Amino acid sequence: MKKIIQKISAAISESALPEKARAHYAAGRYKEASDLFKEMLKQSGDAETKRCLADCYLQRAWAMAGKGMFKEACVLWENYAAHADAPLQAQDVYVLWLLAGNSERKAYARLDAFNARQLDEEFPGLSVYLGALLVSGAADLLAHLPQDSALLKHWEWIGTAFAVYRNGERESCEQALKPLPYRSAFRDLRTLLKAQLPDGADSEQAPAMLAKIPDESPYQPLSKACLAYRQTGADFIASLSGLEHNQRRVVAQAKGLTARQTQLLEALIKHGGEPDAKTRFNLVLQYRDVFGNDAAQSYCLGALAEYPGGEKDYFKHFAGQDPFEANRVQALLHEQAENDYDAGFFWDRCIDILKKDRPANDRKIALILRHMADKAHPDDAAVLLADSLEYDPGDRQSYLNLLTIYQEQRSDSVQYAHWLECGLQRFPADTDLLVRAAKSAAARKAFKKAAAYAKALLQIDPVNTLAKHLLFANHMAHARRLVKTGKFHLVEKEIQAAEQLTIDKHLRHQADLLRGFYLWQAEDKSQGLQRIVDTLAKLHDDPINMHFQAQIEAGLLELPTQGLSRALPAFKDYLLSASQLQRLIGLLGYYDEQLDDSSLLFKALDKLNAPLKKSVEWLLDHDTLLLAWCQILEAIGHYELLKHCAKAAQARRHTPAWLYYRTLAECQGDTSHLDFMSLYRLKSALEEVRVGNDHKTAAAIARLLERASGASEHLPVEDETEDLALSPIGDDPIEDLFGHVPDAVFKRITKKIEEIMRKRDPDSLMAQFIRQHGNRLGQQRLTILFMNQDFLWSVAIFAGAEELKIEIGVSFDDIVNRFDQDSPQYSLPFN
């Protein structure tokens, strides 16, 4: 029975053997598959089993070669050849594996069996590698190559090219390489030689030529070395890092680098080519003999700002430093630590040292002052820049920086005008300054001055659009004055002068519109009215812009508008599109520059009030457009439309910009009407936009807070905090009551106050506390106390702490008692 079971088991195993072998073969497990195929061959030597076994050996040979195990790959290929039918695969790579495994005798025997056709046509890849071996000096190969092969013939031409290449004979080398056909085994070598010819391709062409050499080419490593040799600086190090050590050594020698320079290169490559500040500092110290002591000292001094931990090593290796450098290092270190106050102290000492040798050091003093200005608050930056110009008055950028400060950051028209004049005196032909001067004059309605600056701009820059627009506006303003004074014979000449400025079609229509009003007033009312209507239709595709411009132009000429309004399309239920509102914004800006006051703009807008409000509600998704609309409304002071837009937009998206515009509109531009919660919200919004780097909104909110009457008592801006800290603590009831509360807790409370005030206004908070405590403490007494903004703020803090359930040790009665003596003692009317 046992023998029967064994026979049955063997039979089952034999039947499963082919299935297992094919499964391993299909899965790429060639070692397991080959073992099973060998067992199957012992039982039956069918051709398919033999083919599969041969393929297993071949695939394993490729895998071994891929791991650099060339001797093992050769043994496996020979096993493959013993089982495979002709023609054999991979005969060419087998030769290369033999050579790589130092089996030259076998390799040469194989090569002896190849004829010229096989080498040149069947195995072109082998020819390329054999050619590369010949180039590297493997002269023994020559005796084993077919004497009539193209490889040997081309090798003779390469030998000639090498000979003249070594002598630097560019033209002769090119001539020797010329006969090589496109498919030559030496084609990549030819590319290399051409890229390296002494007077050959320039630095831009050579990399492009070398890039044509394919990655699998045996000449690719040499190509990379040649590219690295051509690089300098950081690119040189990056290119070297992709080479092997021996290649790097050869490139360094070709560059003429010393042993120490080569060591430095290896250290940089070891750190990835981009070491951190500390590593760079230490490498410069270690290899200061390579850089030179002065250059190393200069670099390390500058690097201390980025790596302050190197200060001790710096003074250890560069002890002979002068006082100026010592103070400069300290200033840079304090800057790195964001300690601007102490940094300023050491910069001032540097300046004092430099002042001892004036005017030789004036330029250095000015550079330090400008460096300090880059890190200073706008007020301090303006002073520092102004001081720098005393030492170096020819620095154009400092004038531009001062103008930016006084225009955008710390609005001051007097200082802006002063520095603009100073800049123009120094640089009368500077286009940036002339543009600013022209804009400034136009904003002051000084059209003659604006025109003069515009003409000066056009002399320097004949195609300057701003200059042409300013001249156009000047001609138009003059033409209107002529119409109003009845000098009709001169009007057409002025309009034609405006049209001849080769400006855009839109402005030419503007000139034609004025011509229509001139005809309406001076010649033929019917013809003039028709021209006005036709021109407005060319300028605008909506009735609102048509009516607005008609009203403004008529108002500028002091003409009645009743008949004009009836001739234009109705606008009552019209909704502006985004582009049409943008056009209206442009018209407002254009006319605001030309009017002495905004009454005419107000009058025109008031007639369009209803459709404008509806249009804004329709365009609430266009944030950028509505912000531009708010900006122009703020500029002209139309607070009713501004409030409507900001309120609607803020209901959709609660952002600091909408809060700013809504607050400004609600107080009608009079910041003395702002209550403490409005100021608090603005201060919170200012912090938010500063974190978000929204400089434009931050500047607008900061200016509003500065203008606010009494705002500094409750909500100091950042540059006032030091002065606040110096004030007597006893005079500050907020400090008296809540000074003991930790800063972190106080911040949590103020955030809660902001949340409370978003849901309710100060009046409702006041009414709540009067209802809760009025019977006990007296309603009139509490009402009088709530007139004190500090009292209201203190109660808000108390309410915020209660909401958060934080025990701050201050009761409502404590707050009332603290403020009782400070409150005005009078009775409310009718009580």
Side-chain angles (χ1 to χ4, degrees):
M1 176 64 75
K2 185 175 181 181
K3 289 182 179 180
I4 293 172
I5 292 172
Q6 286 176 345
K7 285 182 180 180
I8 293 172
S9 176
I12 293 172
S13 298
E14 287 176 7
S15 65
L17 196 61
E19 188 176 330
K20 287 183 179 180
R22 284 193 294 272
H24 284 306
Y25 182 72
R29 294 187 290 272
Y30 298 112
K31 175 69 172 67
E32 294 82 352
S34 62
D35 291 341
L36 294 176
F37 283 132
K38 281 190 288 186
E39 288 296 322
M40 290 168 61
L41 276 179
K42 291 177 183 178
Q43 299 170 14
S44 64
D46 64 282
E48 180 61 19
T49 302
K50 190 176 180 183
R51 184 195 67 77
C52 290
L53 177 58
D55 191 53
C56 285
Y57 282 127
L58 180 61
Q59 297 304 325
R60 290 173 63 194
W62 279 111
M64 289 295 178
K67 298 176 182 178
M69 302 169 69
F70 297 109
K71 289 184 178 181
E72 291 80 356
C74 289
V75 171
L76 287 165
W77 188 91
E78 289 161 4
N79 288 339
Y80 152 76
H83 294 86
D85 295 328
L88 295 177
Q89 299 179 44
Q91 294 184 69
D92 50 348
V93 294
Y94 172 59
V95 174
L96 294 176
W97 294 343
L98 288 170
L99 291 171
N102 296 320
S103 299
E104 287 89 351
R105 185 179 58 80
K106 279 188 177 183
Y108 292 158
R110 276 279 166 179
L111 284 175
D112 289 337
F114 289 157
N115 57 41
R117 186 190 61 78
Q118 285 178 301
L119 190 61
D120 295 334
E121 297 178 16
E122 290 186 27
F123 309 127
L126 176 60
S127 294
V128 172
Y129 276 90
L130 292 176
L133 288 171
L134 290 174
V135 171
S136 65
D140 292 346
L141 274 175
L142 290 171
H144 303 282
L145 298 175
Q147 296 304 303
D148 56 345
S149 66
L151 179 63
L152 280 183
K153 183 178 179 182
H154 296 170
W155 173 241
E156 292 177 7
W157 297 340
I158 290 296
T160 305
F162 273 153
V164 293
Y165 172 76
R166 294 189 187 97
N167 295 328
E169 299 175 19
R170 182 179 66 85
E171 294 182 2
S172 298
C173 185
E174 285 187 344
Q175 197 65 31
L177 293 171
K178 206 168 187 180
L180 283 176
Y182 173 72
R183 297 189 180 278
S184 170
F186 297 102
R187 59 184 176 274
D188 295 336
L189 178 63
R190 175 177 56 188
T191 303
L192 269 171
L193 287 174
K194 283 189 173 182
Q196 298 303 311
L197 290 175
D199 297 321
D202 61 24
S203 58
E204 292 183 1
Q205 293 172 327
M209 291 175 66
L210 293 171
K212 295 178 182 178
I213 297 176
D215 291 341
E216 65 274 11
S217 171
Y219 299 98
Q220 181 58 229
L222 185 55
S223 172
K224 290 181 178 179
C226 291
L227 279 171
Y229 175 80
R230 289 179 168 274
Q231 302 290 346
T232 57
D235 292 336
F236 175 58
I237 297 171
S239 298
L240 277 186
S241 63
L243 304 180
E244 295 180 357
H245 177 74
N246 286 336
Q247 287 180 300
R248 294 199 296 269
R249 182 173 52 79
V250 170
V251 172
Q253 289 175 352
K255 280 271 195 181
L257 301 181
T258 64
R260 286 287 287 167
Q261 288 173 324
T262 304
Q263 289 174 13
L264 174 58
L265 278 176
E266 291 295 329
L268 288 169
I269 291 168
K270 180 181 178 181
H271 290 286
E274 295 183 5
D276 57 25
K278 177 181 178 180
T279 303
R280 291 198 305 270
F281 182 89
N282 289 328
L283 280 174
V284 172
L285 279 182
Q286 182 182 351
Y287 291 95
R288 59 187 182 278
D289 57 318
V290 174
F291 297 104
N293 199 66
D294 291 342
Q297 179 177 358
S298 178
Y299 175 84
C300 290
L301 179 61
L304 286 176
E306 194 176 358
Y307 172 52
E311 182 182 4
K312 183 178 179 181
D313 286 334
Y314 176 85
F315 286 115
K316 175 183 176 182
H317 291 91
F318 306 111
Q321 182 183 282
D322 59 44
F324 173 81
E325 290 298 326
N327 284 291
R328 179 170 173 264
V329 168
Q330 291 299 324
L332 291 171
L333 291 173
H334 284 298
E335 279 185 357
Q336 179 67 20
E338 297 183 355
N339 183 355
D340 293 335
Y341 179 81
D342 286 335
F345 170 78
F346 286 103
W347 283 127
D348 287 338
R349 291 180 67 174
C350 287
I351 291 172
D352 290 339
I353 293 169
L354 292 173
K355 282 181 179 178
K356 294 176 183 178
D357 186 14
R358 292 194 59 199
N361 287 330
D362 280 3
R363 172 72 173 161
K364 291 181 180 179
I365 295 172
L367 289 173
I368 291 175
L369 291 169
R370 287 164 193 154
H371 173 80
M372 295 169 70
D374 287 341
K375 300 178 178 297
H377 185 274
D379 284 340
D380 296 330
V383 174
L384 291 165
L385 287 171
D387 288 346
S388 78
L389 289 172
E390 291 184 11
Y391 296 96
D392 179 25
D395 185 66
R396 170 182 172 276
Q397 190 58 47
S398 292
Y399 290 102
L400 293 176
N401 290 345
L402 279 165
L403 292 173
T404 299
I405 289 172
Y406 287 122
Q407 183 180 45
E408 299 176 9
Q409 299 170 352
R410 312 295 284 181
S411 183
D412 189 329
S413 58
V414 175
Q415 286 294 327
Y416 183 86
H418 168 72
W419 287 110
L420 183 56
E421 182 181 354
C422 291
L424 281 171
Q425 287 175 358
R426 174 66 61 171
F427 306 102
D430 185 87
T431 54
D432 285 337
L433 292 172
L434 283 171
V435 166
R436 286 177 177 269
K439 286 183 176 180
S440 179
R444 300 193 313 271
K445 312 298 184 291
F447 292 112
K448 285 188 177 179
K449 278 192 174 183
Y453 289 128
K455 288 176 182 176
L457 259 175
L458 286 176
Q459 288 179 352
I460 301 166
D461 181 8
V463 295
N464 189 285
T465 304
L466 173 67
K468 289 183 178 182
H469 282 196
L470 287 170
L471 280 178
F472 176 85
N474 187 60
H475 284 302
M476 295 288 282
H478 192 203
R480 292 189 189 101
R481 283 194 293 270
L482 293 172
V483 172
K484 286 195 292 185
T485 55
K487 297 177 182 178
F488 300 120
H489 61 289
L490 299 174
V491 174
E492 183 61 30
K493 178 183 176 182
E494 203 67 30
I495 292 175
Q496 288 178 2
E499 290 175 326
Q500 289 169 0
L501 287 168
T502 63
I503 45 184
D504 59 70
K505 181 173 67 174
H506 182 80
L507 287 181
R508 282 198 292 272
H509 287 320
Q510 295 266 75
D512 204 37
L513 179 62
L514 182 56
R515 183 179 283 112
F517 277 99
Y518 153 62
L519 291 173
W520 189 36
Q521 173 71 0
E523 297 182 8
D524 186 327
K525 279 198 174 294
S526 176
Q527 183 184 354
L529 183 60
Q530 189 59 49
R531 179 171 285 229
I532 291 170
V533 172
D534 291 345
T535 306
L536 285 171
K538 292 176 184 177
L539 282 165
H540 310 294
D541 58 358
D542 67 279
I544 293 180
N545 274 294
M546 293 171 69
H547 277 271
F548 176 78
Q549 190 159 18
Q551 291 287 332
I552 297 297
E553 287 290 343
L556 287 168
L557 295 169
E558 300 176 0
L559 297 176
T561 60
Q562 293 88 344
L564 186 59
S565 297
R566 287 193 295 271
L568 293 172
F571 60 82
K572 183 178 179 183
D573 297 319
Y574 192 86
L575 293 177
L576 288 171
S577 67
S579 60
Q580 291 163 350
L581 180 57
Q582 185 66 58
R583 195 175 302 124
L584 180 60
I585 292 169
L587 281 177
L588 279 165
Y590 173 74
Y591 285 116
D592 183 47
E593 290 180 353
Q594 303 178 50
L595 293 167
D596 293 328
D597 61 63
S598 300
S599 58
L600 192 57
L601 297 175
F602 273 50
K603 185 178 178 181
L605 287 173
D606 288 343
K607 291 187 177 182
L608 306 166
N609 203 317
L612 284 176
K613 287 183 177 179
K614 289 179 183 176
S615 296
V616 163
E617 292 169 5
W618 187 42
L619 296 170
L620 283 176
D621 290 329
H622 298 261
D623 270 14
T624 304
L625 175 66
L626 294 185
L627 282 171
W629 176 237
C630 287
Q631 287 165 11
I632 193 63
L633 292 174
E634 177 190 10
I636 66 175
H638 201 297
Y639 296 113
E640 180 188 351
L641 287 175
L642 178 62
K643 180 180 178 180
H644 177 268
C645 179
K647 190 175 181 180
Q650 191 182 26
R652 292 281 293 270
R653 284 170 295 281
H654 194 88
T655 63
W658 297 129
L659 172 68
Y660 164 75
Y661 284 119
R662 182 173 179 177
T663 305
L664 180 69
E666 287 177 343
C667 73
Q668 295 285 299
D670 185 353
T671 53
S672 64
H673 294 162
L674 294 175
D675 58 31
F676 93 101
M677 280 311 302
S678 296
L679 295 171
Y680 173 76
R681 292 189 190 103
L682 285 172
K683 181 63 169 62
S684 298
L686 179 61
E687 292 174 359
E688 182 180 340
V689 291
R690 280 176 173 165
V691 170
N693 291 321
D694 183 356
H695 302 298
K696 192 171 184 179
T697 304
I701 296 175
R703 286 196 297 269
L704 191 64
L705 285 170
E706 288 169 9
R707 285 162 41 203
S709 174
S712 59
E713 297 172 14
H714 311 288
L715 297 163
V717 291
E718 290 181 3
D719 55 333
E720 294 172 340
T721 52
E722 291 184 7
D723 294 338
L724 183 68
L726 297 174
S727 62
I729 293 177
D731 294 341
D732 186 353
I734 307 296
E735 182 67 27
D736 286 351
L737 288 165
F738 306 107
H740 64 283
V741 178
D743 289 345
V745 174
F746 200 81
K747 284 182 179 178
R748 286 182 60 199
I749 294 172
T750 54
K751 285 191 177 296
K752 174 55 72 173
I753 295 170
E754 183 179 0
E755 182 184 323
I756 293 171
M757 290 307 169
R758 282 179 184 165
K759 300 175 183 176
R760 1 178 359 195
D761 57 32
D763 290 340
S764 65
L765 179 70
M766 180 175 70
Q768 173 193 331
F769 275 89
I770 290 176
R771 283 196 305 272
Q772 289 177 356
H773 304 281
N775 292 335
R776 182 170 59 85
L777 298 174
Q779 289 189 4
Q780 178 174 322
R781 177 189 181 192
L782 292 181
T783 304
I784 293 172
L785 286 172
F786 272 113
M787 292 179 181
N788 186 325
Q789 293 289 320
D790 281 339
F791 180 78
L792 182 56
W793 177 236
S794 299
V795 172
I797 295 171
F798 173 75
E802 276 198 327
E803 286 265 347
L804 291 169
K805 295 182 171 49
I806 295 175
E807 178 55 56
I808 57 174
V810 177
S811 67
F812 182 74
D813 287 358
D814 292 334
I815 298 172
V816 171
N817 292 334
R818 172 62 183 82
F819 281 92
D820 241 345
Q821 300 304 316
D822 295 341
S823 301
Q825 301 301 309
Y826 56 84
S827 298
L828 293 176
F830 313 115
N831 277 340

